[in-house]
Amino acid sequence: MKVTYPELKGLIVFEPDVYGDERGYFFESFNEKRYTEAGLKVKFVQDNISKSKHGTVRGLHYQVGEYAQGKLCQVVFGKVLDVAVDIRFGSPTFGKYFAVELSEENHKQLWIPPGFAHGFSVLSDIAIFHYKCTNFYSKKDERAIKFDDGQLNINWKINNPIVSEKDLKANNFNQIEEDFSYES
């Protein structure tokens, strides 16, 4: 397994070893021992799957307080641009984002710890997105930042995005509360 650590401290990109032949392929999508050795020492409590069509943008979402979540993200079918925004006050990369294409072809996974807002755009006709969470969903602790916030200036690699009404009403980046602090 290839492991890389992006500039935004806390994020991890995993590229599992994939074994393919004329029948298809096989890979371990999670192995607690290997992921712990790579720095991912968490317990997952919930798995989520979404199916979206081309041009959809979901996010930028996060949860706060006792329900803050870490997410291990991957694409089972199709291709997305997965984005994590550093929302840890005091972080040297506060307000910066990291983006990586996740697809059924590259099998990459992105670990996003608490303290980051998360979103993705669908680059293929259809995408099935899977993520493991370290905490349960809590509506009252859910927060969102506008995907098209000019301060963040994220290139979602799509035209005419399809966005939920709820996400269109999200806060601007400069309106977020100090829910996360940077720990060096």
Side-chain angles (χ1 to χ4, degrees):
M1 176 171 63
K2 180 180 175 188
V3 181
T4 54
Y5 303 90
E7 178 187 350
L8 279 64
K9 185 178 177 183
L11 300 177
I12 306 173
V13 177
F14 296 96
E15 294 182 59
D17 295 327
V18 180
Y19 305 95
D21 60 23
E22 67 279 354
R23 300 169 296 163
Y25 63 80
F26 169 86
F27 71 95
E28 289 181 343
S29 65
F30 182 74
N31 176 310
E32 183 179 28
K33 182 179 178 202
R34 289 180 191 222
Y35 284 62
T36 298
E37 290 169 356
L40 184 61
K41 299 172 183 160
V42 298
K43 176 185 173 192
F44 293 109
V45 298
Q46 180 176 316
D47 281 24
N48 299 322
I49 296 175
S50 68
K51 179 181 178 184
S52 306
K53 64 183 182 178
H54 179 265
T56 296
V57 175
R58 292 184 184 265
L60 296 158
H61 303 145
Y62 60 102
Q63 289 188 180
V64 299
E66 68 178 292
Y67 285 96
Q69 290 180 321
K71 299 174 182 176
L72 181 61
C73 305
Q74 67 181 336
V75 169
V76 178
F77 181 83
K79 178 168 63 172
V80 308
L81 181 70
D82 206 26
V83 175
V85 177
D86 189 346
I87 58 172
R88 301 169 296 175
F89 282 73
S91 167
T93 56
F94 178 74
K96 304 279 189 227
Y97 74 91
F98 173 77
V100 62
E101 285 189 10
L102 305 181
S103 71
E104 66 181 302
E105 285 87 26
N106 69 23
H107 308 287
K108 289 181 181 180
Q109 300 171 319
L110 178 60
W111 162 247
I112 304 170
F116 287 82
H118 172 247
F120 65 90
S121 61
V122 179
L123 306 178
S124 54
D125 289 339
I126 297 289
I128 299 176
F129 190 89
H130 172 261
Y131 54 106
K132 301 177 83 56
C133 300
T134 60
N135 213 333
F136 300 103
Y137 172 73
S138 172
K139 185 175 180 71
K140 73 175 184 60
D141 298 298
E142 179 182 39
R143 305 288 185 273
I145 300 168
K146 287 185 179 176
F147 80 98
D148 60 352
D149 186 285
Q151 187 175 345
L152 300 176
N153 199 28
I154 298 170
N155 178 358
W156 293 97
K157 297 187 176 183
I158 56 168
N159 299 316
N160 305 313
I162 302 165
V163 183
S164 73
E165 186 174 327
K166 179 174 147 183
D167 285 349
L168 289 173
K169 294 178 181 176
N171 286 330
N172 289 317
F173 180 73
N174 64 6
Q175 295 173 304
I176 67 171
E177 294 183 22
E178 196 169 329
D179 292 305
F180 298 95
S181 297
Y182 179 72
E183 298 174 17
S184 55

